[in-house]
Amino acid sequence: MLLPADSLAPEWLTVPDDANDLADGVWPASAVRDADGVLDIAGVSATALARTYGTPLQVLDEDEVRGRARRFRLAFDRAAAANSTTAQVYYAGKAFLCTTIARWMVDEGLRVDVCTGGELAVALAAGVAPASLGFHGNNKSVAELERAVEVGVGTIIVDSAIEIERLAAITARTGASQRVLVRVISGVHAETHDFLATAHEDQKFGFPLPEAEKAVARIREIPGLVFAGLHCHIGSQIFGVAGFRESASRVLDLHATLLEGGPVPQLNLGGGFGIAYTRVDDPTPIEELADAIVASVAEGCAARGIPVPALSFEPGRAIVGTAGVTLYEVGTTKDVTVATGAVRRYVSVDGGMSDNARPALYGAQYSARLASRAGSGEPRLSRVVGKHCESGDIVVDHEYLPDDLVPGDLLAVPATGAYCVPLASNYNHVPRPPVIAVRDGHSTVIVRGETVDDVLARDAGIDGAKAPEGDQ
């Protein structure tokens, strides 16, 4: 039944036949409803998870993460072998990194990509071999670079002329030898939010193609640096392969030119592979991505008369994103009449932008479903909002939820495995939630949740605490 609020719905959102359904591809493959209509993930019910750990709660399906990591590795291995080369898959830790996930990646044959000293510390604490790490970042400090060289990070992706000189000084002082890739800007603009697109010229990452050749020449002059190849990343949440094809073609022109001055062993084409956040999203299957991208590189190399380099890729979101589901408890509901006369239902939950900043940052769209039972009411256009003191604290902008939803119900938001935990904050002094891995009917804490005491522990004014000398 269409309600007056339907005039507020975006064109892509249609009224579902069943407001309790779980759209294929948006949820972990293990997500089902049990006989009582309760959401179940990997054999663990949402109600049991909420009773044990409270809400908000980030739930991660371990088998979903491992399975997608394995699919990426096998797909790129097969595609590379079919085109007479090899491929390495790095897990992009910025999507969500903790020691447990890092170990899962190593178990599945992946390497790990980090972009700060903190992420490097997590990977090392997990026991990841330094030689299998890649280190990104547009402003790596001297201390971060010194640590990376000291532990033997496999590859540092250099992002500026200043960074090259920092590495030159470090390797000269220590006598170390360090492999580096040069990050280049291909000029291919991903069809995504401007803040997610990283290959257009007017942004902070990498060297424009004309300047990259000079950067490589400088690296080749430095005894302690080993030029290992080029790196390019065109953005995030990308569907299809057209952007990857065009970017690879432009970078291969530079690659071919650089071969005249010495070897260029590796080409890293980054990541950015998209996932489904709503039922209308249609991400490209992993195997199709691998086959098409690697074949386009091989074709480009053949056209230029050069050998196919070793290839590298950096999926992150596409490995962990779909595996994550966030559970909230509904606190209040409110019907608001807007200027057109239509009525929008606001559903407030006990989390928000402190555990998922993406809607506020990027206008990201999500889905939601009642998780503690099956609703019996008609689909009602709703907006799920958080508890923070911001009008932009939106969790799910547009979704059809059963109109019998009431305070105390559990609400589940899928596809929250990537970028929610890393971007989490203590805004309004709200503690960050725990992360729970589920597998075969069991649940395990992999990131402990915070308490209010944890949040207050940093406040130097409590209990007469005195600030350190020099900081007053």
Side-chain angles (χ1 to χ4, degrees):
M1 179 178 73
L2 293 179
L3 300 172
D6 293 317
S7 62
L8 303 174
E11 291 184 2
W12 56 265
L13 182 65
T14 58
V15 181
D17 295 329
D18 178 7
N20 297 298
D21 70 339
L22 305 175
D24 291 341
V26 178
W27 297 81
S30 70
V32 296
R33 291 193 181 275
D34 67 16
D36 297 320
V38 177
L39 176 67
D40 182 291
I41 304 169
V44 186
S45 76
T47 51
L49 287 166
R51 280 196 306 269
T52 303
Y53 304 106
T55 57
L57 183 65
Q58 172 67 257
V59 182
L60 203 64
D61 184 328
E62 178 178 348
D63 284 338
E64 183 85 15
V65 176
R66 287 179 175 273
R68 293 178 74 86
R70 195 178 312 122
R71 279 182 65 191
F72 266 103
R73 177 177 58 79
L74 293 173
F76 279 107
D77 277 351
R78 285 194 293 261
N83 289 278
S84 303
T85 189
T86 60
Q88 298 171 344
V89 178
Y90 288 77
Y91 170 67
K94 66 177 182 173
F96 174 24
L97 188 65
C98 66
T99 55
T100 298
I101 289 180
R103 292 178 187 126
W104 292 350
M105 296 301 104
V106 173
D107 287 348
E108 300 304 333
L110 273 64
R111 300 182 176 216
V112 178
D113 166 66
V114 300
C115 60
T116 65
E119 288 184 355
L120 174 60
V122 172
L124 295 175
V128 180
S132 66
L133 295 173
F135 194 177
H136 273 285
N138 66 297
N139 185 27
K140 306 179 195 72
S141 68
V142 172
E144 287 175 322
L145 292 171
E146 286 176 337
R147 179 59 173 160
V149 173
E150 175 191 9
V151 301
V153 163
T155 307
I156 295 176
I157 297 87
V158 296
D159 204 271
S160 67
I162 290 173
E163 186 178 336
I164 293 172
E165 298 310 319
R166 287 175 177 170
L167 282 171
I170 292 167
T171 55
R173 185 173 67 253
T174 62
S177 178
Q178 179 62 56
R179 293 178 76 253
V180 299
L181 294 178
V182 171
R183 179 158 178 169
V184 300
I185 305 169
S186 68
V188 176
H189 193 296
E191 294 180 1
T192 184
H193 190 286
D194 281 347
F195 291 168
L196 304 179
T198 56
H200 56 91
E201 291 84 351
D202 188 10
Q203 50 94 18
K204 70 177 186 176
F205 292 108
F207 294 86
L209 289 171
E211 296 178 19
E213 191 171 350
K214 297 177 183 177
V216 173
R218 174 60 183 140
I219 290 168
R220 283 171 166 166
E221 295 174 349
I222 300 170
L225 298 186
V226 178
F227 174 61
L230 300 174
H231 179 284
C232 183
H233 179 69
I234 64 172
S236 298
Q237 187 56 7
I238 301 166
F239 295 165
V241 298
F244 294 103
R245 286 179 179 272
E246 178 60 26
S247 181
S249 177
R250 297 186 189 189
V251 175
L252 281 174
D253 285 337
L254 174 61
H255 180 99
T257 299
L258 293 174
L259 282 171
E260 298 172 6
V264 188
Q266 187 177 349
L267 175 59
N268 188 321
L269 291 174
F273 311 116
I275 65 169
Y277 287 99
T278 71
R279 66 177 66 247
V280 298
D281 292 332
D282 186 22
T284 310
I286 294 168
E287 293 76 13
E288 184 179 327
L289 283 169
D291 289 345
I293 295 171
V294 175
S296 71
V297 173
E299 292 163 6
C301 289
R304 292 165 177 81
I306 59 176
V308 182
L311 299 174
S312 299
F313 301 90
E314 297 167 350
R317 178 201 320 261
I319 290 176
V320 294
T322 308
V325 176
T326 304
L327 296 179
Y328 301 99
E329 182 177 318
V330 176
T332 65
T333 63
K334 182 188 299 184
D335 293 338
V336 175
T337 302
V338 303
T340 62
V343 178
R344 188 192 303 279
R345 169 157 290 185
Y346 278 80
V347 178
S348 296
V349 296
D350 55 353
M353 63 192 301
S354 61
D355 59 76
N356 187 354
R358 295 189 68 254
L361 281 176
Y362 312 130
Q365 300 293 331
Y366 282 88
S367 308
R369 283 291 178 261
L370 184 57
S372 49
R373 62 184 176 87
S376 58
E378 293 290 333
R380 175 79 175 272
L381 185 67
S382 304
R383 173 171 288 168
V384 182
V385 295
K387 64 181 295 178
H388 301 284
C389 195
E390 295 283 346
S391 59
D393 179 24
I394 296 171
V395 179
V396 182
D397 205 9
H398 310 280
E399 180 58 289
Y400 281 97
L401 295 170
D403 65 5
D404 62 332
L405 183 147
V406 294
D409 281 331
L410 292 180
L411 205 64
V413 176
T416 57
Y419 298 107
C420 292
V421 176
L423 286 169
S425 73
N426 293 128
Y427 185 48
N428 291 153
H429 282 69
V430 173
R432 289 173 293 184
V435 183
I436 308 300
V438 290
R439 188 183 197 188
D440 296 334
H442 299 284
S443 63
T444 306
V445 177
I446 63 172
V447 178
R448 287 190 295 273
E450 289 178 321
T451 65
V452 172
D453 285 343
D454 292 326
V455 177
L456 293 178
R458 297 178 62 240
D459 191 326
I462 294 176
D463 294 331
K466 184 179 179 182
E469 292 296 328
D471 294 336
Q472 298 180 33

